[in-house]
Amino acid sequence: MPLHVPPAPAPALRTVVTALGSPTAVREARTPSLLHAQGPATAEVPLPVHVLDRLTPAGASATRLAGWRFLIRCGERAVAAADTVLTPDGWAFQRFFEGPYIASTERALRQAESMQQPYQPRLLSVPGLYMLTLWLHGDPTADGATGHPAATDLLVPLAPAPPGIAAHRPHRVAELLPVLTHRVTPSPLLGSPA
């Protein structure tokens, strides 16, 4: 079943396209694969980036939209990514970067395309665990910039994943959030009042 990639705000895409066309922006990014890319680079696969700010003992979460990430393709593969953020003046290009999450995101997206149910892909960051997941939202027509993970949505941890959590293994939100809550919640010190 194909993924239903949500449309990014047009101004966010424009800022990335402008940065890609700027030799200064590309050079200052110090992204070797983008600097040495052969052929034109294009911004593709816009993914809203949500941040899981808070996990409660009940597992409920609060998320917020942090920006949009675009995979930067050159030829057949993504060589980098570009992040945009919303500022008081509108959408702004933030940075180009590369690293293991680029290939891991591509792999997770290919994996998700082979699933039977249609999903809307998003990214969900869990800063407390230094973890990034591909969030497969069950409502493919939803506004990608809003909402929070539903119990039946899938989370696919991207590599590198925290110890004990398998990368690229899809988990229902209802199954993974309690595990994440336990890991983020500090345990009381011995001898301290509970």
Side-chain angles (χ1 to χ4, degrees):
M1 214 19 89
L3 293 176
H4 298 270
V5 178
L13 176 59
R14 274 195 304 273
T15 65
V16 172
V17 170
T18 300
L20 275 173
S22 165
T24 304
V26 171
R27 191 171 41 255
E28 287 179 1
R30 293 186 179 89
T31 307
S33 59
L34 195 53
L35 281 169
H36 304 298
Q38 299 294 317
T42 58
E44 299 179 5
V45 193
L47 296 170
V49 180
H50 294 262
V51 176
L52 187 60
D53 281 325
R54 189 177 63 237
L55 288 168
T56 67
S61 61
T63 61
R64 64 180 167 78
L65 179 68
W68 285 79
R69 177 166 295 166
F70 297 81
L71 293 180
I72 306 300
R73 252 185 226 298
C74 189
E76 295 294 314
R77 66 183 188 95
V79 296
D83 280 345
T84 61
V85 293
L86 187 59
T87 68
D89 294 326
W91 287 99
F93 168 76
Q94 184 180 34
R95 66 185 177 130
F96 289 117
F97 66 95
E98 62 183 77
Y101 285 132
I102 308 302
S104 187
T105 300
E106 276 199 309
R107 177 180 169 187
L109 287 167
R110 280 192 308 270
Q111 183 180 355
E113 285 174 343
S114 67
M115 295 180 177
Q116 296 300 314
Q117 180 180 339
Y119 287 103
Q120 181 187 84
R122 303 171 177 197
L123 293 173
L124 182 66
S125 172
V126 186
L129 293 175
Y130 302 101
M131 180 179 181
L132 185 63
T133 69
L134 179 64
W135 168 15
L136 298 173
H137 189 53
D139 181 359
T141 62
D143 178 356
T146 62
H148 60 278
T152 56
D153 288 353
L154 296 179
L155 297 177
V156 182
L158 301 179
I165 296 177
H168 299 286
R169 182 176 174 267
H171 301 270
R172 294 236 177 261
V173 167
E175 298 164 357
L176 188 58
L177 275 188
V179 172
L180 300 181
T181 302
H182 178 69
R183 287 181 170 222
V184 171
T185 306
S187 56
L189 298 172
L190 290 175
S192 64

